[in-house]
Every structure is written in structure tokens, then in C-alpha cells.
Coordinates of all heavy atoms in Angstrom, one line a residue:
M1 N 62.6 97.5 112.1 CA 63.8 97.3 113.0 C 64.6 96.2 112.4 O 65.9 96.2 112.5 CB 63.3 97.0 114.4 CG 64.4 97.0 115.4 SD 65.2 98.6 115.5 CE 65.3 98.9 117.2
T2 N 64.0 95.2 111.8 CA 64.8 94.1 111.2 C 65.7 94.5 110.1 O 66.8 94.0 109.9 CB 63.9 92.9 110.8 OG1 63.0 93.4 109.8 CG2 63.2 92.3 111.9
Q3 N 65.2 95.5 109.3 CA 66.0 96.0 108.2 C 67.3 96.7 108.8 O 68.4 96.6 108.2 CB 65.2 97.0 107.3 CG 66.0 97.4 106.1 CD 65.2 98.2 105.2 OE1 64.0 98.4 105.4 NE2 65.8 98.7 104.1
F4 N 67.1 97.4 109.8 CA 68.3 98.1 110.5 C 69.3 97.1 111.0 O 70.5 97.2 110.8 CB 67.8 98.9 111.7 CG 68.9 99.6 112.5 CD1 69.6 100.6 111.9 CD2 69.3 99.1 113.7 CE1 70.7 101.2 112.6 CE2 70.3 99.6 114.4 CZ 71.0 100.7 113.9
K5 N 68.8 96.0 111.5 CA 69.7 94.9 112.0 C 70.4 94.3 110.8 O 71.6 94.0 110.9 CB 68.9 93.8 112.8 CG 68.5 94.2 114.1 CD 67.8 93.1 114.9 CE 67.4 93.5 116.2 NZ 66.7 92.5 117.0
R6 N 69.7 94.1 109.7 CA 70.4 93.5 108.5 C 71.4 94.4 108.0 O 72.5 94.0 107.6 CB 69.3 93.2 107.4 CG 68.7 91.9 107.6 CD 67.9 91.5 106.4 NE 66.5 91.3 106.9 CZ 65.4 91.6 106.2 NH1 65.5 92.2 105.1 NH2 64.3 91.4 106.8
C7 N 71.1 95.7 107.9 CA 72.1 96.7 107.4 C 73.3 96.8 108.3 O 74.5 96.8 107.8 CB 71.5 98.1 107.3 SG 70.3 98.2 105.9
S8 N 73.1 96.8 109.6 CA 74.2 96.9 110.5 C 75.0 95.6 110.5 O 76.3 95.7 110.6 CB 73.8 97.3 112.0 OG 72.9 96.2 112.5
T9 N 74.4 94.5 110.4 CA 75.1 93.2 110.3 C 76.0 93.2 109.1 O 77.1 92.8 109.1 CB 74.1 92.0 110.3 OG1 73.4 92.1 111.5 CG2 74.9 90.7 110.3
F10 N 75.4 93.6 107.9 CA 76.1 93.6 106.7 C 77.3 94.6 106.8 O 78.4 94.3 106.4 CB 75.2 94.1 105.5 CG 75.9 94.3 104.2 CD1 76.4 93.2 103.5 CD2 76.3 95.6 103.8 CE1 77.1 93.4 102.3 CE2 77.0 95.8 102.6 CZ 77.4 94.7 101.9
F11 N 77.1 95.8 107.3 CA 78.2 96.7 107.5 C 79.3 96.2 108.4 O 80.5 96.3 108.0 CB 77.6 98.1 108.0 CG 78.7 99.1 108.3 CD1 79.2 99.8 107.2 CD2 79.1 99.4 109.6 CE1 80.2 100.7 107.5 CE2 80.1 100.3 109.8 CZ 80.6 101.0 108.8
L12 N 79.0 95.6 109.5 CA 80.0 95.1 110.4 C 80.7 93.9 109.7 O 81.9 93.8 109.9 CB 79.3 94.7 111.7 CG 78.8 95.8 112.6 CD1 78.1 95.2 113.8 CD2 80.0 96.7 113.0
T13 N 80.0 93.1 109.0 CA 80.7 92.0 108.3 C 81.6 92.5 107.2 O 82.8 92.0 107.1 CB 79.6 91.1 107.6 OG1 78.7 90.6 108.7 CG2 80.3 89.9 107.0
A14 N 81.2 93.5 106.5 CA 82.1 94.1 105.5 C 83.3 94.8 106.1 O 84.4 94.7 105.6 CB 81.3 95.1 104.6
L15 N 83.1 95.4 107.2 CA 84.2 96.1 107.9 C 85.2 95.1 108.4 O 86.4 95.3 108.3 CB 83.6 96.9 109.0 CG 84.6 97.9 109.7 CD1 85.1 98.9 108.8 CD2 83.8 98.6 110.9
L16 N 84.7 94.0 109.0 CA 85.6 92.9 109.5 C 86.4 92.3 108.3 O 87.6 92.1 108.5 CB 84.7 91.9 110.2 CG 85.5 90.7 110.7 CD1 86.5 91.1 111.8 CD2 84.6 89.6 111.3
A17 N 85.7 92.1 107.2 CA 86.4 91.5 106.1 C 87.5 92.4 105.5 O 88.6 92.0 105.1 CB 85.4 91.2 104.9
F18 N 87.2 93.7 105.6 CA 88.2 94.7 105.1 C 89.4 94.7 106.0 O 90.6 94.6 105.5 CB 87.6 96.1 105.1 CG 88.6 97.2 104.9 CD1 89.1 97.4 103.6 CD2 89.1 98.0 105.9 CE1 90.0 98.4 103.4 CE2 90.0 99.0 105.7 CZ 90.5 99.2 104.4
F19 N 89.3 94.7 107.3 CA 90.4 94.7 108.2 C 91.2 93.3 108.2 O 92.4 93.3 108.3 CB 90.0 95.0 109.7 CG 89.7 96.5 109.8 CD1 88.4 96.9 110.2 CD2 90.7 97.4 109.6 CE1 88.2 98.3 110.3 CE2 90.5 98.7 109.8 CZ 89.2 99.2 110.1
V20 N 90.5 92.2 108.1 CA 91.1 90.9 108.0 C 91.9 90.9 106.7 O 93.1 90.4 106.6 CB 90.1 89.8 108.1 CG1 90.8 88.4 107.7 CG2 89.6 89.7 109.5
G21 N 91.4 91.4 105.6 CA 92.1 91.5 104.3 C 93.4 92.3 104.3 O 94.3 92.1 103.6
C22 N 93.4 93.3 105.2 CA 94.6 94.2 105.3 C 95.5 93.8 106.4 O 96.6 94.4 106.6 CB 94.1 95.6 105.5 SG 93.2 96.3 104.1
A23 N 95.2 92.7 107.1 CA 96.0 92.3 108.2 C 97.3 91.7 107.8 O 97.4 91.1 106.7 CB 95.2 91.3 109.1
A24 N 98.3 91.8 108.6 CA 99.6 91.3 108.3 C 99.7 89.8 108.6 O 99.0 89.3 109.5 CB 100.7 92.0 109.1
T25 N 100.5 89.0 107.9 CA 100.7 87.6 108.2 C 102.2 87.5 108.3 O 103.0 88.4 108.0 CB 100.2 86.7 107.1 OG1 100.9 87.0 105.9 CG2 98.7 86.9 106.8
P26 N 102.7 86.4 108.8 CA 104.2 86.2 108.9 C 105.0 86.4 107.6 O 106.1 86.8 107.7 CB 104.4 84.8 109.5 CG 103.1 84.5 110.2 CD 102.0 85.2 109.4
K27 N 104.4 86.1 106.5 CA 105.1 86.2 105.2 C 104.6 87.4 104.4 O 105.1 87.5 103.3 CB 104.9 84.9 104.4 CG 105.6 83.7 105.1 CD 105.6 82.5 104.3 CE 106.3 81.4 105.0 NZ 106.4 80.2 104.3
Q28 N 103.6 88.1 104.8 CA 103.1 89.2 104.0 C 102.8 90.4 105.0 O 102.2 90.3 106.0 CB 101.8 88.8 103.4 CG 101.2 89.9 102.5 CD 99.9 89.4 101.8 OE1 99.5 88.2 102.0 NE2 99.4 90.2 101.0
A29 N 103.3 91.6 104.6 CA 103.1 92.8 105.4 C 101.7 93.3 105.1 O 101.1 93.2 104.1 CB 104.1 93.9 104.9
G30 N 101.1 93.9 106.2 CA 99.8 94.6 106.1 C 100.0 95.9 105.3 O 101.2 96.3 105.1
T31 N 98.9 96.6 105.1 CA 99.0 97.8 104.3 C 99.9 98.9 105.0 O 100.7 99.5 104.4 CB 97.6 98.4 104.1 OG1 96.8 97.4 103.5 CG2 97.6 99.6 103.3
G32 N 99.7 99.0 106.3 CA 100.5 100.0 107.1 C 101.9 99.6 107.1 O 102.8 100.5 107.0
E33 N 102.2 98.4 107.3 CA 103.6 97.9 107.4 C 104.3 98.1 106.0 O 105.4 98.4 105.9 CB 103.7 96.4 107.8 CG 103.3 96.2 109.2 CD 103.3 94.7 109.6 OE1 102.8 94.0 108.7 OE2 103.7 94.4 110.7
Y34 N 103.5 97.8 104.9 CA 104.1 98.0 103.6 C 104.5 99.4 103.4 O 105.6 99.7 102.9 CB 103.1 97.5 102.5 CG 103.6 97.8 101.1 CD1 104.5 96.9 100.5 CD2 103.2 98.9 100.4 CE1 105.0 97.1 99.3 CE2 103.7 99.1 99.1 CZ 104.6 98.2 98.6 OH 105.0 98.4 97.3
F35 N 103.6 100.4 103.8 CA 103.9 101.8 103.7 C 105.1 102.2 104.5 O 106.0 102.9 104.1 CB 102.7 102.6 104.1 CG 102.9 104.1 103.9 CD1 103.0 104.7 102.7 CD2 103.1 104.9 105.1 CE1 103.2 106.1 102.6 CE2 103.4 106.2 104.9 CZ 103.4 106.8 103.7
D36 N 105.2 101.7 105.7 CA 106.3 101.9 106.6 C 107.6 101.4 106.0 O 108.7 102.1 106.1 CB 106.1 101.3 108.0 CG 105.0 102.0 108.8 OD1 104.6 103.1 108.4 OD2 104.5 101.3 109.8
D37 N 107.6 100.2 105.5 CA 108.8 99.6 104.8 C 109.2 100.4 103.6 O 110.4 100.6 103.4 CB 108.5 98.2 104.4 CG 108.5 97.2 105.6 OD1 109.0 97.6 106.7 OD2 107.9 96.1 105.5
T38 N 108.3 100.9 102.9 CA 108.6 101.7 101.7 C 109.3 103.0 102.1 O 110.3 103.4 101.5 CB 107.4 102.1 100.9 OG1 106.7 100.9 100.5 CG2 107.7 102.9 99.6
V39 N 108.8 103.7 103.2 CA 109.4 104.9 103.7 C 110.8 104.6 104.2 O 111.8 105.3 104.0 CB 108.5 105.5 104.8 CG1 109.3 106.6 105.5 CG2 107.2 106.0 104.2
L40 N 110.9 103.5 104.9 CA 112.2 103.1 105.5 C 113.3 102.8 104.4 O 114.4 103.2 104.5 CB 112.0 101.8 106.4 CG 113.1 101.5 107.4 CD1 113.5 102.7 108.3 CD2 112.7 100.3 108.2
T41 N 112.8 102.1 103.4 CA 113.7 101.8 102.2 C 114.2 103.1 101.6 O 115.4 103.3 101.3 CB 113.0 101.0 101.2 OG1 112.6 99.7 101.7 CG2 113.9 100.7 99.9
T42 N 113.3 104.1 101.4 CA 113.7 105.4 100.9 C 114.7 106.1 101.8 O 115.7 106.7 101.3 CB 112.4 106.3 100.7 OG1 111.5 105.5 99.8 CG2 112.8 107.6 100.0
K43 N 114.5 106.1 103.1 CA 115.4 106.7 104.0 C 116.8 106.1 103.9 O 117.8 106.8 104.0 CB 114.9 106.7 105.4 CG 113.7 107.6 105.7 CD 113.3 107.4 107.1 CE 112.1 108.3 107.4 NZ 111.7 108.2 108.9
I44 N 116.8 104.8 103.8 CA 118.1 104.1 103.8 C 118.8 104.4 102.4 O 120.0 104.7 102.4 CB 117.9 102.5 103.9 CG1 117.4 102.2 105.3 CG2 119.2 101.8 103.6 CD1 116.8 100.9 105.5
K45 N 118.1 104.4 101.3 CA 118.7 104.7 100.1 C 119.3 106.2 100.1 O 120.4 106.4 99.6 CB 117.7 104.6 98.9 CG 117.4 103.1 98.6 CD 116.4 103.0 97.4 CE 116.1 101.6 97.1 NZ 115.2 101.5 95.9
A46 N 118.6 107.1 100.7 CA 119.0 108.5 100.8 C 120.3 108.5 101.7 O 121.3 109.2 101.4 CB 118.0 109.3 101.4
A47 N 120.3 107.8 102.8 CA 121.5 107.7 103.6 C 122.7 107.2 102.9 O 123.8 107.7 103.0 CB 121.2 107.0 104.9
V48 N 122.5 106.1 102.1 CA 123.6 105.5 101.4 C 124.1 106.5 100.3 O 125.3 106.6 100.1 CB 123.1 104.2 100.7 CG1 124.1 103.6 99.7 CG2 122.9 103.1 101.8
L49 N 123.1 107.2 99.7 CA 123.5 108.1 98.6 C 124.3 109.3 99.2 O 125.3 109.8 98.5 CB 122.2 108.7 98.0 CG 122.4 109.6 96.8 CD1 123.1 108.9 95.7 CD2 121.0 110.2 96.3
K50 N 124.1 109.7 100.4 CA 124.8 110.8 101.1 C 126.2 110.3 101.5 O 127.1 111.2 101.7 CB 124.1 111.3 102.3 CG 122.8 112.0 102.0 CD 122.2 112.5 103.4 CE 120.9 113.1 103.1 NZ 120.2 113.5 104.4
E51 N 126.5 109.1 101.6 CA 127.8 108.6 102.0 C 128.7 108.6 100.8 O 128.5 107.8 99.9 CB 127.6 107.1 102.6 CG 128.9 106.5 103.0 CD 129.6 107.4 104.1 OE1 129.0 107.9 105.0 OE2 130.8 107.6 104.0
P52 N 129.7 109.4 100.8 CA 130.6 109.6 99.6 C 131.5 108.3 99.3 O 131.9 108.1 98.2 CB 131.5 110.8 100.0 CG 131.4 110.9 101.4 CD 130.1 110.3 101.9
S53 N 131.7 107.5 100.3 CA 132.5 106.3 100.1 C 131.8 105.1 99.4 O 132.4 104.1 99.1 CB 133.2 105.9 101.4 OG 132.2 105.4 102.3
L54 N 130.5 105.3 99.2 CA 129.7 104.2 98.7 C 129.2 104.5 97.3 O 128.8 105.6 97.0 CB 128.5 103.9 99.6 CG 128.8 103.4 101.0 CD1 127.6 103.3 101.8 CD2 129.6 102.1 101.0
K55 N 129.2 103.5 96.4 CA 128.6 103.7 95.1 C 127.2 103.2 95.2 O 126.9 102.0 95.1 CB 129.4 102.8 94.1 CG 130.8 103.3 93.8 CD 131.5 102.5 92.8 CE 132.9 103.0 92.6 NZ 133.7 102.1 91.8
S56 N 126.3 104.1 95.4 CA 124.9 103.7 95.8 C 124.2 103.0 94.6 O 123.2 102.3 94.9 CB 124.1 104.9 96.3 OG 124.1 105.9 95.2
A57 N 124.6 103.3 93.4 CA 123.9 102.7 92.3 C 124.0 101.1 92.2 O 123.2 100.4 91.6 CB 124.4 103.3 91.0
E58 N 125.0 100.6 92.9 CA 125.3 99.2 92.9 C 124.8 98.5 94.2 O 125.1 97.3 94.4 CB 126.8 99.0 92.7 CG 127.3 99.4 91.4 CD 128.7 99.2 91.1 OE1 129.4 98.5 91.9 OE2 129.2 99.7 90.1
I59 N 124.1 99.2 95.1 CA 123.6 98.7 96.3 C 122.1 98.7 96.3 O 121.5 99.7 96.1 CB 124.1 99.5 97.5 CG1 125.6 99.4 97.6 CG2 123.5 98.9 98.8 CD1 126.2 100.3 98.7
N60 N 121.5 97.5 96.4 CA 120.0 97.4 96.4 C 119.5 97.3 97.8 O 120.2 96.6 98.7 CB 119.6 96.1 95.6 CG 120.1 96.2 94.2 OD1 119.9 97.2 93.5 ND2 120.7 95.2 93.7
V61 N 118.4 97.9 98.1 CA 117.8 97.9 99.4 C 116.4 97.4 99.4 O 115.6 97.9 98.6 CB 117.8 99.3 100.1 CG1 117.2 99.3 101.5 CG2 119.2 99.9 100.1
E62 N 116.1 96.4 100.2 CA 114.7 95.9 100.3 C 114.4 95.8 101.8 O 115.3 95.5 102.6 CB 114.6 94.5 99.7 CG 114.8 94.5 98.2 CD 114.5 93.1 97.6 OE1 113.7 92.4 98.1 OE2 115.2 92.9 96.6
T63 N 113.2 96.1 102.2 CA 112.8 96.1 103.6 C 111.5 95.3 103.7 O 110.5 95.5 102.9 CB 112.5 97.6 104.1 OG1 113.7 98.3 103.8 CG2 112.3 97.6 105.6
F64 N 111.4 94.5 104.7 CA 110.2 93.7 105.1 C 110.1 93.7 106.6 O 110.9 93.1 107.3 CB 110.3 92.3 104.5 CG 109.0 91.5 104.8 CD1 107.9 91.8 104.1 CD2 109.1 90.5 105.7 CE1 106.7 91.0 104.4 CE2 107.9 89.7 106.0 CZ 106.8 90.0 105.3
K65 N 109.0 94.4 107.1 CA 108.7 94.5 108.5 C 109.9 95.0 109.3 O 110.2 94.5 110.4 CB 108.2 93.1 109.0 CG 106.9 92.7 108.4 CD 106.4 91.4 109.1 CE 105.0 91.1 108.6 NZ 104.4 90.0 109.3
G66 N 110.6 96.0 108.8 CA 111.7 96.6 109.5 C 113.0 96.0 109.3 O 114.0 96.5 109.7
V67 N 113.0 94.8 108.7 CA 114.3 94.1 108.4 C 114.8 94.5 107.1 O 114.1 94.3 106.1 CB 114.1 92.5 108.5 CG1 115.4 91.8 108.2 CG2 113.6 92.2 109.9
V68 N 116.0 95.0 107.0 CA 116.6 95.5 105.8 C 117.5 94.5 105.2 O 118.3 93.9 105.9 CB 117.3 96.8 106.0 CG1 118.0 97.3 104.8 CG2 116.4 97.8 106.6
Q69 N 117.4 94.2 103.8 CA 118.3 93.4 103.1 C 119.1 94.2 102.1 O 118.5 94.9 101.3 CB 117.6 92.2 102.4 CG 118.6 91.3 101.7 CD 117.9 90.1 101.0 OE1 116.7 89.8 101.3 NE2 118.6 89.5 100.2
L70 N 120.4 94.2 102.3 CA 121.3 94.9 101.3 C 121.9 93.8 100.4 O 122.3 92.8 100.8 CB 122.4 95.6 102.1 CG 122.0 96.6 103.1 CD1 123.2 97.2 103.8 CD2 121.2 97.8 102.4
S71 N 121.8 94.2 99.1 CA 122.4 93.3 98.1 C 123.1 94.1 97.0 O 122.9 95.3 96.9 CB 121.4 92.3 97.5 OG 120.4 93.1 96.8
G72 N 123.9 93.4 96.2 CA 124.6 94.1 95.1 C 126.1 93.9 95.2 O 126.6 93.0 96.0
F73 N 126.8 94.6 94.4 CA 128.3 94.4 94.3 C 129.0 95.7 94.7 O 128.6 96.8 94.3 CB 128.7 94.0 92.9 CG 128.1 92.7 92.5 CD1 126.9 92.6 91.8 CD2 128.8 91.5 92.9 CE1 126.4 91.3 91.5 CE2 128.3 90.3 92.6 CZ 127.1 90.2 91.9
V74 N 130.0 95.6 95.5 CA 130.9 96.7 95.9 C 132.3 96.3 95.7 O 132.7 95.2 95.5 CB 130.6 97.1 97.4 CG1 129.2 97.7 97.5 CG2 130.8 95.9 98.3
S75 N 133.2 97.3 95.9 CA 134.6 97.1 95.6 C 135.4 96.5 96.7 O 136.5 95.9 96.5 CB 135.3 98.4 95.2 OG 134.6 98.9 94.1
S76 N 134.9 96.6 98.0 CA 135.7 96.1 99.1 C 134.9 95.7 100.3 O 133.7 96.1 100.4 CB 136.7 97.2 99.5 OG 136.0 98.3 100.1
Q77 N 135.5 95.0 101.2 CA 134.8 94.6 102.4 C 134.5 95.8 103.3 O 133.4 95.9 104.0 CB 135.6 93.6 103.3 CG 135.0 93.1 104.5 CD 133.7 92.3 104.3 OE1 133.6 91.5 103.4 NE2 132.7 92.6 105.1
E78 N 135.3 96.9 103.2 CA 135.1 98.1 103.9 C 133.8 98.8 103.5 O 133.1 99.3 104.3 CB 136.3 99.1 103.8 CG 137.5 98.6 104.5 CD 138.3 97.5 103.7 OE1 138.1 97.4 102.5 OE2 139.0 96.8 104.4
E79 N 133.5 98.7 102.2 CA 132.3 99.3 101.6 C 131.1 98.5 102.1 O 130.0 99.1 102.5 CB 132.3 99.3 100.1 CG 133.2 100.4 99.5 CD 133.1 100.5 98.0 OE1 132.0 100.2 97.5 OE2 134.1 100.9 97.4
I80 N 131.2 97.2 102.2 CA 130.1 96.4 102.8 C 129.9 96.8 104.3 O 128.7 97.0 104.7 CB 130.4 94.9 102.7 CG1 130.4 94.4 101.3 CG2 129.5 94.1 103.6 CD1 130.9 93.0 101.1
N81 N 130.9 96.9 105.0 CA 130.8 97.3 106.4 C 130.2 98.7 106.6 O 129.3 98.9 107.5 CB 132.2 97.2 107.1 CG 132.7 95.8 107.2 OD1 132.0 94.8 107.0 ND2 134.1 95.8 107.4
K82 N 130.6 99.6 105.7 CA 130.0 101.0 105.8 C 128.6 101.0 105.4 O 127.8 101.7 106.1 CB 130.8 101.9 104.9 CG 130.5 103.3 105.0 CD 130.8 103.8 106.4 CE 130.6 105.3 106.6 NZ 130.9 105.8 107.9
A83 N 128.2 100.2 104.4 CA 126.8 100.2 104.0 C 125.9 99.6 105.1 O 124.8 100.1 105.4 CB 126.6 99.4 102.7
V84 N 126.4 98.6 105.8 CA 125.6 98.0 106.9 C 125.5 99.0 108.0 O 124.5 99.1 108.6 CB 126.3 96.6 107.3 CG1 125.7 96.1 108.6 CG2 126.2 95.6 106.3
E85 N 126.6 99.7 108.3 CA 126.6 100.7 109.4 C 125.6 101.8 109.1 O 124.9 102.2 109.9 CB 128.0 101.2 109.5 CG 128.2 102.3 110.5 CD 129.6 103.0 110.5 OE1 130.5 102.3 110.2 OE2 129.6 104.2 110.8
V86 N 125.6 102.3 107.8 CA 124.7 103.4 107.4 C 123.3 102.9 107.5 O 122.4 103.6 108.1 CB 125.0 103.9 106.0 CG1 123.9 104.8 105.4 CG2 126.4 104.6 106.0
A87 N 123.0 101.7 107.0 CA 121.6 101.2 107.1 C 121.1 101.0 108.5 O 120.0 101.3 108.9 CB 121.5 99.9 106.3
S88 N 122.0 100.5 109.4 CA 121.7 100.2 110.8 C 121.4 101.5 111.5 O 120.7 101.5 112.5 CB 122.8 99.5 111.5 OG 123.0 98.2 110.9
G89 N 122.0 102.6 111.1 CA 121.8 103.9 111.7 C 120.6 104.6 111.4 O 120.2 105.6 112.1
V90 N 119.8 104.1 110.5 CA 118.5 104.7 110.1 C 117.4 104.3 111.2 O 117.3 103.2 111.5 CB 118.1 104.4 108.7 CG1 116.7 104.9 108.4 CG2 119.1 104.8 107.7
K91 N 116.7 105.3 111.7 CA 115.7 105.1 112.7 C 114.6 104.2 112.1 O 114.1 104.5 111.0 CB 115.1 106.4 113.2 CG 114.1 106.3 114.3 CD 113.6 107.6 114.8 CE 112.6 107.4 115.8 NZ 112.0 108.7 116.2
G92 N 114.2 103.2 112.9 CA 113.2 102.3 112.4 C 113.7 100.9 111.9 O 112.9 100.0 111.7
V93 N 115.0 100.8 111.7 CA 115.6 99.6 111.2 C 115.7 98.6 112.4 O 116.3 98.9 113.4 CB 116.9 99.8 110.5 CG1 117.6 98.5 110.2 CG2 116.8 100.7 109.3
A94 N 115.0 97.4 112.2 CA 115.1 96.4 113.2 C 116.4 95.6 113.1 O 117.0 95.3 114.1 CB 113.9 95.5 113.1
S95 N 116.8 95.3 111.9 CA 118.0 94.5 111.7 C 118.4 94.7 110.2 O 117.6 95.1 109.4 CB 117.9 93.1 112.1 OG 117.0 92.4 111.3
V96 N 119.7 94.3 109.9 CA 120.2 94.4 108.6 C 120.7 93.1 108.2 O 121.6 92.5 108.9 CB 121.3 95.5 108.4 CG1 121.8 95.5 107.0 CG2 120.7 96.9 108.8
K97 N 120.3 92.5 107.0 CA 120.8 91.3 106.5 C 121.7 91.7 105.3 O 121.3 92.4 104.4 CB 119.7 90.4 106.0 CG 118.8 89.8 107.1 CD 117.8 88.9 106.5 CE 117.0 88.3 107.7 NZ 116.0 87.4 107.2
N98 N 122.9 91.2 105.4 CA 123.9 91.6 104.3 C 124.0 90.5 103.3 O 124.4 89.4 103.6 CB 125.3 91.8 105.0 CG 126.3 92.1 104.0 OD1 126.1 92.5 102.9 ND2 127.6 91.8 104.4
D99 N 123.7 90.8 102.0 CA 123.8 89.9 100.9 C 124.7 90.6 99.8 O 124.5 90.2 98.7 CB 122.5 89.5 100.4 CG 122.5 88.3 99.5 OD1 123.4 87.5 99.7 OD2 121.7 88.1 98.6
M100 N 125.6 91.5 100.2 CA 126.4 92.2 99.2 C 127.6 91.3 99.0 O 128.1 90.5 99.8 CB 126.8 93.6 99.7 CG 125.6 94.5 99.8 SD 126.1 96.2 100.3 CE 126.5 95.9 102.0
R101 N 128.2 91.5 97.8 CA 129.4 90.8 97.4 C 130.5 91.7 96.9 O 130.2 92.8 96.3 CB 129.0 89.8 96.2 CG 127.9 88.8 96.5 CD 128.4 87.7 97.4 NE 127.4 86.7 97.7 CZ 126.8 86.5 98.8 NH1 127.1 87.2 99.9 NH2 125.9 85.6 99.0
V102 N 131.7 91.3 97.1 CA 132.9 92.1 96.6 C 133.1 91.7 95.2 O 133.1 90.5 94.9 CB 134.1 91.9 97.5 CG1 135.3 92.6 96.9 CG2 133.8 92.3 98.9
K103 N 133.3 92.7 94.3 CA 133.6 92.4 92.9 C 134.9 91.7 92.7 O 135.9 92.0 93.4 CB 133.6 93.7 92.1 CG 132.3 94.4 91.9 CD 132.6 95.6 91.0 CE 131.5 96.6 91.2 NZ 131.7 97.8 90.4

């Protein structure tokens, strides 16, 4: 019976260490959040690409815990406003930080 207790204790300790290692912190996304952010970034890039008034190759998208940061260079303030609007319209976006610049 003691061997069973040792095995179960070891297993529970290893399981706890695994979940703590994958847990999110304020400055680091957990495994699930990282996957969600990657999917969200892809959706935003696709939405920007579909928008004919935007030059998507010059707009960079990064996502962390649902907060989207747009950066890069565009030709006008209207393009900045449109990119923020498009990104904000994607389901799952918590907020959008604009770091784009007009050329």
C-alpha cells in the first residue's frame, strides 16, 4: 500500500507542476491563451487583408491576452482609423492599441 501512496503522490505532484508551469502570469500568457492569441492575430490579419483600402503588408498585428497592438506605416490617418475599426470588429478582441504612423 505504501508503494501505491508513493506513486499517487508522485503523479499528483507531477500533474500539479505541469499545470503551474502552463499557468498564465500578468506578463506571460498561458498555453491556452497563447493559442487563442495566435488565432485572434490570424483573424485580424485576414480581416485587414480583406479590406481594400488598407495596405496590409505594412500593418503589423500582435495580440496578448486579447489586447491587439497595431503597428507599421500607412498613408493617412483615415487608414489608421479603418485598421483600428477592422481590428475592433473581430470577435474576441478586448481592446486595440494603435501604434501605427503616417508616412
Side-chain angles (χ1 to χ4, degrees):
M1 194 59 137
T2 56
Q3 186 173 356
F4 176 73
K5 285 183 182 180
R6 275 191 239 144
C7 286
S8 62
T9 302
F10 173 76
F11 176 73
L12 290 175
T13 304
L15 190 62
L16 178 64
F18 172 77
F19 283 118
V20 169
C22 294
T25 63
K27 295 186 178 182
Q28 182 177 4
T31 306
E33 288 173 323
Y34 177 78
F35 181 74
D36 292 344
D37 287 341
T38 302
V39 170
L40 196 54
T41 298
T42 303
K43 287 180 180 180
I44 294 165
K45 286 181 179 181
V48 168
L49 185 62
K50 288 180 186 176
E51 181 57 46
S53 64
L54 297 174
K55 294 179 181 175
S56 60
E58 297 180 9
I59 298 174
N60 300 310
V61 180
E62 294 183 33
T63 309
F64 182 71
K65 295 187 175 186
V67 177
V68 177
Q69 180 176 347
L70 300 176
S71 61
F73 296 95
V74 293
S75 300
S76 67
Q77 183 64 42
E78 290 76 25
E79 287 186 29
I80 291 174
N81 296 341
K82 188 63 174 180
V84 170
E85 179 186 327
V86 168
S88 298
V90 174
K91 184 179 178 184
V93 172
S95 65
V96 177
K97 292 184 179 181
N98 174 23
D99 195 26
M100 292 184 288
R101 303 285 183 246
V102 176
K103 293 184 203 178

